[in-house]
Amino acid sequence: MIDRLANRGVAHAYVRSRDQLGRIPFWARVIAILAVVGGAVLLNGDDYVTAVAVTVATYAMLGLGLNIVVGYAGLLDLGYAAFFAIGAYTSSLLMTEAHWNFFATLPLAVLFTGTAGAILGYPTLRLRSDYLAIVTLGFGEMTRITFNNWDYAGGPNGILQIPWPNFFGYELNTQGDFLIVGLVLLAVAMIFARNLDHSRLGRGWVAIREDEFAAESVGVPSLRLKLFAYVMGGMWGGLAGAFFATRIGAIDPTSFTFQLSVLVLIVIVLGGTGSLPGVLVGALVVVAMPEVLREFADRRLLIFAVLLIGMMLLRPQGLWPRIRRKPKPFYGLQEEESEDVADRILREHQVQMEERERRHAAAGRQVPQKGEALLEIEGLVQQFGGLRAVDNVTFEVRRGEIFSIIGPNGGGKTTLFNCITGVQKPKRGKIRFDGRSVVGLRPHVIVSRGIGRTFQGIRLFKNMAVFENVMVGLYPRHRTMTWQTMLHTPGERKDEVRTLQESRRWLGFVGLESVAGRLATELSYADQRRVEIARALAAHPHLVLFDEPAAGMNPTEKLELVSIIRKIRDLGITVVLIDHDMSLVMRVSDRIAVLDHGVLIALGKPAEIQQNPAVIEAYLGREEDLLEDKAQGA
Amino acid sequence: MGAFLQYTVIGLTVGSFYALVALGYTIVYGIIRLINFAQGDLSMVGAFLGWTLLVSFGFQRLPLYLALIIAFVVPMLGTAAVNIVILQFAYKPLLRKSLLAILITALGMSLLLQNTAELIWGPSIQAYPPNLLPSTGFFMGPVHVTYVQLALVFVSLLLMGGMVLFVQGTTVGTAMRALAVDHDAARLMGINVDGIIRLAFVLGAMLAAASGVMLGLYYVQIQFTMGFLLGLRAFTAAVLGGIGNIPGAMAGGMLIGLLESYTTGYLSGSWKDVIVFGVLITVLIVKPTGLFGERVAERM
């Protein structure tokens, strides 16, 4: 008993000290830890240990860069050595041929590798992930062979006699000097990487990794974000490459083989993909282990191969896994009264509306007024092989109404949604929103035009907390630049706080604020659907498409859903609803369209639809059919 | 013109080796959507097993046909066993997990095979018995064709033909094709899914091993690193032909062989891999389904 109490005391102390540690900013922690480690190594004074530490720092920099690509964005890059090589060659050539100072070459090395990342990424990012891995492998080998055949860069001999870096007249030429430079660069790389991770960009990456299709459909520009990941990853590699070149003093193509790419991959897999301290641990293991276990140094690749496979099988999260948990996400935020929340949302939304009207007026267009057509669909056809899923459908949704689309299974309802949201391109026909065509736009563009959606099968980002899911929905509304993100500027911070606050409001709106810190998968089915609604609303759409929001809900939950839908309409948002629950549809809708086998068979007020013989036939079959069935049955 | 035809003969010979490995990629990929990075290294294992039998065990002194049968059959079986072990221990537990995890594992497996081979057979180059096969040939106009080239291409075509017949013509082959479309549906139809996956790994490994032995016989020199580039070229061939597509893999292999041979002949050997990778990237960007169309859909 006493033992347990004591243990609890220790646990409390641990939690408390961890909380206090958590309040120290990340950059301060990084600098403190690196300074202590660097100081210890320098005081030790052993040149060999210092040299190993410099190599660890180099690998850690590489690992940080690859971590952005593999860990954050979830893209397997097997040619990462190419960026290392491009950085090293850029810096070395500038130093030997143009006699630049090392520190002056750094921006160019980073710029070149970033560009290389864009060149590699732009055409290839549409590929599926396994092909992408092979393409990056090919890119890595091509880069190496090109350097090998490029006479200006010394061909197979490489570049020799790269000068030492000169820091305001002081020549850096001992391992100790390099350790200091390396740790400074590493600190910068770590702080930037962490800032990226904890930003809108980082959330976008995680969302893409979790479910690219859903991310794109709630407004995350997935291709651009993946390209960013390549560019950023390349830049980190370039930094490490330049540092490596000046430190070694000579480079040649054999320094940049596929084996290096694999080693860096091992660094992050061992440490834990996506985890920053993990990268340091991984670099330490990969570099220092062969030094410590000298007798196995020849067999190090064998050991690494076994480690790699073993980690994947037994501990895929790595030695120091990435933790993304915030049990109290809104801690420290300004408290808001519940009536206040609704008011604020309304006000916020009105601001959005006004802004839209201004934008439209500036472009010489008119915003549809209440009761006028907001979404117009004209002669829409979508065909899969011989099957016409949507056959020449024409209707309009008026601003401010709740419009339902019903019909038997396979009627083409979800296909219609997919066409409107840009997931599929219709074969023929027009879709106009706000008077402008949206056919052929990518889903995230359509979201930013003002159409939000939920999915028939729930597509939340499973390993993100509820509030983070909603924050992803806010992605299209913020304009923070990447450099602001990296520097964690006050403007970016303000934007983040606003994002957090707004996500809290939307969760309050659907009644889920109390579970904001839970993982999305821990919620009940009905609650998950409500999170999806909050995520769609967070982008401040003018039109929301709900695909079977009531599926799997019990009667009480359905009642709540009805009130949420009405509240959404009261904000001035137009709602289009697909559902099979007739009583819900009849109760909530202003107008209803009925689709059967892709054809629009009826359109009108709920009462009219209930009386419509064509609708009754579609649902129940004709009377003769029933009689025939009976006859056959007997 | 003479040079061109000569390069064509060389290209087709080498291409037939690539085609065999590519076939292995395609069969495994078609069924479990895994790029088995270790495919090329399995070929290396086959080559070394053949070398062990012929040189270390001295089977090269047996009558030629007997030596060849042993040097092909035993490595094929041995490599198949290796691949089954890999499947059971490394890939099976990950099949339902993320694509990234299984790809990284496959990469680790490739590394493991290479380094284990280095441990067993040493880091240096080993040589197949150079005079085992006659180096004679005949002239077709200006083009010199050796009997070895003919024989190797013939054996490759035989293996590939057998493969096509097996997959298209037998019940088990039909089950494999069903599995390529939908695992769950196949399972519900009473197909032994695990058994078919094992079979795909056995077939893939056997083809790879055969190509490894052929490479040894043709080039004489083998080394533990030979599988890496071989695997990449073969993968390129599989993608070029449309992954999952068996005739496509064969045609892709031949095309890559030809391309490589022409590049080496007309440009320089040092650029050949740049050209091969260039082709790979271009095909993937311009026509990701390959020249002959792929036979699989992406796992969602």
Short mmCIF file of all heavy atoms in Angstrom, two decimals, chain A residues 408-433:
data_model
loop_
_atom_site.label_atom_id
_atom_site.label_comp_id
_atom_site.label_asym_id
_atom_site.label_seq_id
_atom_site.Cartn_x
_atom_site.Cartn_y
_atom_site.Cartn_z
N PRO A 408 -33.66 4.74 -54.49
CA PRO A 408 -33.20 3.40 -54.13
C PRO A 408 -31.69 3.28 -54.27
O PRO A 408 -31.05 4.10 -54.93
CB PRO A 408 -33.89 2.49 -55.15
CG PRO A 408 -34.97 3.32 -55.76
CD PRO A 408 -34.57 4.74 -55.63
N ASN A 409 -31.11 2.28 -53.65
CA ASN A 409 -29.66 2.06 -53.77
C ASN A 409 -29.26 1.96 -55.23
O ASN A 409 -29.97 1.40 -56.04
CB ASN A 409 -29.27 0.77 -53.05
CG ASN A 409 -29.23 1.00 -51.55
OD1 ASN A 409 -28.84 2.07 -51.11
ND2 ASN A 409 -29.64 0.01 -50.79
N GLY A 410 -28.08 2.47 -55.52
CA GLY A 410 -27.61 2.41 -56.91
C GLY A 410 -28.30 3.45 -57.78
O GLY A 410 -28.23 3.39 -59.00
N GLY A 411 -28.94 4.42 -57.16
CA GLY A 411 -29.66 5.41 -57.93
C GLY A 411 -28.76 6.49 -58.50
O GLY A 411 -29.18 7.28 -59.33
N GLY A 412 -27.51 6.55 -58.06
CA GLY A 412 -26.58 7.54 -58.59
C GLY A 412 -26.41 8.76 -57.70
O GLY A 412 -25.87 9.78 -58.13
N LYS A 413 -26.83 8.64 -56.45
CA LYS A 413 -26.79 9.81 -55.57
C LYS A 413 -25.35 10.19 -55.20
O LYS A 413 -24.95 11.34 -55.34
CB LYS A 413 -27.59 9.52 -54.29
CG LYS A 413 -29.03 9.11 -54.57
CD LYS A 413 -29.81 8.85 -53.31
CE LYS A 413 -29.32 7.70 -52.47
NZ LYS A 413 -29.60 6.36 -52.98
N THR A 414 -24.59 9.18 -54.74
CA THR A 414 -23.22 9.48 -54.34
C THR A 414 -22.37 9.89 -55.55
O THR A 414 -21.52 10.77 -55.45
CB THR A 414 -22.61 8.27 -53.62
OG1 THR A 414 -23.39 8.01 -52.45
CG2 THR A 414 -21.18 8.52 -53.21
N THR A 415 -22.64 9.26 -56.70
CA THR A 415 -21.94 9.65 -57.92
C THR A 415 -22.17 11.13 -58.22
O THR A 415 -21.25 11.85 -58.60
CB THR A 415 -22.42 8.80 -59.10
OG1 THR A 415 -22.36 7.44 -58.73
CG2 THR A 415 -21.59 9.05 -60.33
N LEU A 416 -23.40 11.55 -58.00
CA LEU A 416 -23.74 12.96 -58.21
C LEU A 416 -22.89 13.84 -57.30
O LEU A 416 -22.28 14.82 -57.73
CB LEU A 416 -25.22 13.14 -57.91
CG LEU A 416 -25.84 14.49 -58.24
CD1 LEU A 416 -25.80 14.70 -59.73
CD2 LEU A 416 -27.27 14.53 -57.75
N PHE A 417 -22.80 13.45 -56.02
CA PHE A 417 -21.96 14.20 -55.07
C PHE A 417 -20.51 14.23 -55.54
O PHE A 417 -19.86 15.28 -55.49
CB PHE A 417 -22.02 13.54 -53.68
CG PHE A 417 -23.09 14.11 -52.80
CD1 PHE A 417 -24.18 14.78 -53.34
CD2 PHE A 417 -23.02 13.98 -51.42
CE1 PHE A 417 -25.17 15.29 -52.53
CE2 PHE A 417 -24.01 14.50 -50.60
CZ PHE A 417 -25.09 15.15 -51.15
N ASN A 418 -20.04 13.09 -55.98
CA ASN A 418 -18.64 13.02 -56.41
C ASN A 418 -18.38 13.92 -57.60
O ASN A 418 -17.30 14.49 -57.73
CB ASN A 418 -18.25 11.58 -56.73
CG ASN A 418 -18.04 10.76 -55.48
OD1 ASN A 418 -17.86 11.32 -54.39
ND2 ASN A 418 -18.08 9.45 -55.60
N CYS A 419 -19.36 14.05 -58.47
CA CYS A 419 -19.19 14.94 -59.62
C CYS A 419 -19.16 16.39 -59.14
O CYS A 419 -18.35 17.20 -59.60
CB CYS A 419 -20.32 14.77 -60.62
SG CYS A 419 -20.23 13.22 -61.52
N ILE A 420 -20.06 16.73 -58.21
CA ILE A 420 -20.13 18.12 -57.75
C ILE A 420 -18.84 18.50 -57.03
O ILE A 420 -18.32 19.61 -57.19
CB ILE A 420 -21.34 18.32 -56.80
CG1 ILE A 420 -22.64 18.04 -57.55
CG2 ILE A 420 -21.35 19.73 -56.23
CD1 ILE A 420 -23.86 18.01 -56.65
N THR A 421 -18.28 17.57 -56.24
CA THR A 421 -17.11 17.91 -55.43
C THR A 421 -15.79 17.70 -56.17
O THR A 421 -14.73 17.88 -55.59
CB THR A 421 -17.07 17.08 -54.13
OG1 THR A 421 -17.21 15.70 -54.48
CG2 THR A 421 -18.17 17.48 -53.21
N GLY A 422 -15.87 17.31 -57.43
CA GLY A 422 -14.64 17.22 -58.22
C GLY A 422 -13.88 15.91 -58.06
O GLY A 422 -12.78 15.78 -58.57
N VAL A 423 -14.45 14.95 -57.34
CA VAL A 423 -13.78 13.65 -57.19
C VAL A 423 -13.81 12.92 -58.53
O VAL A 423 -12.86 12.27 -58.93
CB VAL A 423 -14.48 12.81 -56.10
CG1 VAL A 423 -13.89 11.43 -56.04
CG2 VAL A 423 -14.36 13.51 -54.77
N GLN A 424 -14.94 13.05 -59.23
CA GLN A 424 -15.03 12.48 -60.57
C GLN A 424 -15.34 13.60 -61.54
O GLN A 424 -15.97 14.58 -61.19
CB GLN A 424 -16.18 11.47 -60.65
CG GLN A 424 -15.96 10.25 -59.81
CD GLN A 424 -17.22 9.40 -59.76
OE1 GLN A 424 -18.18 9.62 -60.47
NE2 GLN A 424 -17.20 8.41 -58.89
N LYS A 425 -14.88 13.39 -62.77
CA LYS A 425 -15.22 14.37 -63.79
C LYS A 425 -16.41 13.83 -64.56
O LYS A 425 -16.35 12.72 -65.08
CB LYS A 425 -14.03 14.57 -64.72
CG LYS A 425 -14.13 15.83 -65.50
CD LYS A 425 -12.83 16.22 -66.16
CE LYS A 425 -13.06 17.49 -66.94
NZ LYS A 425 -12.82 17.37 -68.34
N PRO A 426 -17.51 14.57 -64.63
CA PRO A 426 -18.67 14.05 -65.35
C PRO A 426 -18.37 13.92 -66.84
O PRO A 426 -17.53 14.64 -67.38
CB PRO A 426 -19.75 15.10 -65.08
CG PRO A 426 -19.02 16.32 -64.71
CD PRO A 426 -17.75 15.90 -64.06
N LYS A 427 -19.08 12.99 -67.44
CA LYS A 427 -18.86 12.76 -68.86
C LYS A 427 -19.41 13.93 -69.67
O LYS A 427 -18.80 14.40 -70.61
CB LYS A 427 -19.56 11.46 -69.27
CG LYS A 427 -18.93 10.82 -70.48
CD LYS A 427 -19.36 9.36 -70.57
CE LYS A 427 -18.99 8.76 -71.90
NZ LYS A 427 -17.58 8.59 -72.10
N ARG A 428 -20.59 14.37 -69.29
CA ARG A 428 -21.20 15.51 -69.97
C ARG A 428 -21.97 16.33 -68.96
O ARG A 428 -22.27 15.86 -67.87
CB ARG A 428 -22.18 15.01 -71.04
CG ARG A 428 -21.57 14.88 -72.43
CD ARG A 428 -22.64 14.98 -73.52
NE ARG A 428 -23.75 14.07 -73.32
CZ ARG A 428 -23.72 12.79 -73.65
NH1 ARG A 428 -22.62 12.28 -74.17
NH2 ARG A 428 -24.77 12.02 -73.47
N GLY A 429 -22.32 17.54 -69.35
CA GLY A 429 -23.20 18.32 -68.50
C GLY A 429 -22.48 19.45 -67.79
O GLY A 429 -21.26 19.55 -67.82
N LYS A 430 -23.30 20.32 -67.19
CA LYS A 430 -22.74 21.50 -66.53
C LYS A 430 -23.05 21.47 -65.05
O LYS A 430 -24.13 21.04 -64.64
CB LYS A 430 -23.33 22.76 -67.15
CG LYS A 430 -22.93 22.97 -68.59
CD LYS A 430 -23.49 24.27 -69.11
CE LYS A 430 -23.16 24.41 -70.60
NZ LYS A 430 -24.33 24.85 -71.37
N ILE A 431 -22.09 21.92 -64.26
CA ILE A 431 -22.34 22.14 -62.84
C ILE A 431 -21.88 23.56 -62.55
O ILE A 431 -20.71 23.89 -62.76
CB ILE A 431 -21.55 21.16 -61.96
CG1 ILE A 431 -21.86 19.72 -62.34
CG2 ILE A 431 -21.84 21.40 -60.49
CD1 ILE A 431 -20.96 18.71 -61.69
N ARG A 432 -22.81 24.40 -62.12
CA ARG A 432 -22.42 25.77 -61.80
C ARG A 432 -22.70 26.03 -60.34
O ARG A 432 -23.75 25.67 -59.82
CB ARG A 432 -23.19 26.76 -62.69
CG ARG A 432 -22.49 27.04 -64.01
CD ARG A 432 -23.10 28.25 -64.70
NE ARG A 432 -24.52 28.05 -64.89
CZ ARG A 432 -25.05 27.43 -65.95
NH1 ARG A 432 -24.25 26.97 -66.89
NH2 ARG A 432 -26.34 27.28 -66.06
N PHE A 433 -21.72 26.65 -59.69
CA PHE A 433 -21.90 27.03 -58.29
C PHE A 433 -21.63 28.51 -58.19
O PHE A 433 -20.61 28.98 -58.70
CB PHE A 433 -20.92 26.24 -57.42
CG PHE A 433 -20.97 26.62 -55.97
CD1 PHE A 433 -22.07 26.29 -55.20
CD2 PHE A 433 -19.93 27.32 -55.39
CE1 PHE A 433 -22.13 26.65 -53.87
CE2 PHE A 433 -19.98 27.68 -54.06
CZ PHE A 433 -21.08 27.35 -53.30
#
